[in-house]
Amino acid sequence: MQTDSSCLFCRIAAREIPADIVRESDRLVAFRDTNPQASTHILLIPKEHVRSIADIEDRHGDLLADIAQAAAQLAAAEGIEESGWRLVTNVGPDAGQSVFHLHFHLLGGRQMGWPPG
Ligand code: DGP
């Protein structure tokens, strides 16, 4: 599995940098965002270093399905499965991607507008 020792999220996944980790499996880690935009704001990442969802390849298999299932389970654990939640990933500067390791924001616990500003 490819990792990047200079990548912040690879280092969180390796537990070299502390984070409030709420879930871990053989290929995923989920931890709370340090700059929460909602009462639930969890980041889900693959342990493998992937720059963004634009770099998902066939070899990643059911990685995205695993992330979707983990997000739904975390939403239930957070008590927001009925009130609603959002799963979003940013790609590139116009979308506001600031960490170049694939991550999904799980957001919930407040009313959210659409479309995003
Ligand atoms: P994005 O803008 O989509 O690349 O989101 C990156 C998110 O990562 C942003 O919401 C803040 C969060 N973040 C940045 N640095 C850290 C960190 O060191 N720890 C944690 N837990 N979250 C971080």
Side-chain angles (χ1 to χ4, degrees), residues 60-87:
H60 291 112
D62 55 5
L63 175 65
L64 296 181
D66 279 4
I67 289 172
Q69 287 178 344
Q73 289 164 8
L74 283 165
E78 294 282 307
I80 55 171
E81 73 271 47
E82 297 295 332
S83 54
W85 48 280
R86 184 171 288 174
L87 189 64

Side-chain angles (χ1 to χ4, degrees), residues 8-9 12 31-34 43 90 96-99 103 105:
L8 172 64
F9 285 179
I12 287 176
F31 52 94
R32 295 193 191 278
D33 195 293
T34 47
L43 301 175
N90 297 322
Q97 185 179 11
S98 62
V99 179
H103 53 282
H105 299 256

Side-chain angles (χ1 to χ4, degrees), residues 8-51:
L8 172 64
F9 285 179
C10 283
R11 297 190 69 199
I12 287 176
R15 296 182 183 256
E16 294 169 7
I17 292 177
D20 185 358
I21 292 175
V22 294
R23 185 187 176 100
E24 181 169 13
S25 67
D26 56 338
R27 58 181 179 170
L28 302 182
V29 180
F31 52 94
R32 295 193 191 278
D33 195 293
T34 47
N35 184 25
Q37 301 302 309
S39 53
T40 293
H41 189 169
I42 293 169
L43 301 175
L44 296 98
I45 69 166
K47 288 183 174 175
E48 179 178 341
H49 184 74
V50 180
R51 232 180 113 74

